[in-house]
Amino acid sequence: GNSVTQMEGPVTLSEEAFLTINCTYTATGYPSLFWYVQYPGEGLQLLLKATKADDKGSNKGFEATYRKETTSFHLEKGSVQVSDSAVYFCALSDGSGNQFYFGTGTSLTVIP
Amino acid sequence: NAGVTQTPKFQVLKTGQSMTLQCAQDMNHNSMYWYRQDPGMGLRLIYYSASEGTTDKGEVPNGYNVSRLNKREFSLRLESAAPSQTSVYFCASISRGGSTDTQYFGPGTRLTVL
């Protein structure tokens, strides 16, 4: 079946530190991969996505590369800001596009 | 363009009471979804509607019913609420374009069942 496993949190970093949040997946077929961000009290917002192997999604300084050989989609940012504090979810969409599978979320706190 | 809206934002029920969570989207999306979010468990799909007039079960459908009233609206009903249904509920719709699909989420309904 389909599933997503992501790095346990919480993660606390100082401003301008480098961020990596690991995400691996199990899927049949050819999934699309996503990172969503959730700010306190809000719904999830799409951060970036990739639809096929070796694609790199990027947005707001965040990047993730779809690695089929390692079934991974790790989220990275070179220099985090306090405003990046949020919960980050890795997700995949199955080949049909009808169902999405989410990881458990990783809470990030950035301190000045 | 309001995106995905949900009502109510907060609700407290007693065990056995019923209620309906409302969701509407103004983006002309065909597919809509209901999720629940629980600590340490991420989002789990309750039901989805691939198009107007169709609904399908997701991972955790027991204790819930849904209605796709029209293309805009997708409601979630709890017939007899239980404490295990205390959760945050999110509605989402999908934009299907090109080679991938993007989900848009509502702000959520925080439900407590006593």
Side-chain angles (χ1 to χ4, degrees), chain B residues 12-19 78-86 111-114:
Chain B
V12 179
L13 294 177
K14 295 181 179 178
T15 298
Q17 288 185 315
S18 63
M19 80 160 294
L78 287 70
E79 291 290 353
S80 179
S84 61
Q85 294 177 305
T86 294
L111 175 67
T112 301
V113 182
L114 302 175

Side-chain angles (χ1 to χ4, degrees), chain A residues 39-50:
Chain A
Y39 299 101
E42 298 183 9
L44 280 69
Q45 302 172 26
L46 179 66
L47 181 59
L48 53 84
K49 61 186 178 186

